[in-house]
Amino acid sequence: MSAAVRLWAWPIVLGVLTATGLVSALLSEAWGDLWSWFALGVPVAVMAWYGARRPMRTATDRDRDSPRT
C-alpha cells in the first residue's frame, strides 16, 4: 500500500460520509434522515475520540519545551 493511500484513505472516507450525509439530509425523507444522522455523526465521533485521547499540555510542559535564552 502506498504512503499516499495510507495517509489519505480515512480522511477521504470521512469526507464522503459527510458529503452523502449532507445531500441525504437535504433531498431525502425517512431513511435519508437516518443516513444523514449516521453519516454526519461518525466524523464528529471520530474527532471527539481523537480529541479526548490527546493529553492536555500544562503551562509547565510548555515552559519545559521552550528553548531557554
Side-chain angles (χ1 to χ4, degrees):
M1 186 180 299
S2 72
V5 171
R6 282 188 309 209
L7 178 67
W8 290 104
W10 283 111
I12 289 171
V13 168
L14 293 175
V16 169
L17 270 175
T18 302
T20 60
L22 289 171
V23 170
S24 176
L26 289 172
L27 301 178
S28 187
E29 293 292 328
W31 68 267
D33 291 339
L34 291 174
W35 174 252
S36 65
W37 275 95
F38 174 76
L40 294 173
V42 168
V44 172
V46 168
M47 289 184 287
W49 186 70
Y50 274 101
R53 285 186 52 212
R54 184 176 175 198
M56 298 295 293
R57 292 183 67 185
T58 62
T60 56
D61 290 339
R62 279 178 264 158
D63 293 340
R64 184 180 29 200
D65 291 343
S66 64
R68 306 249 182 226
T69 55

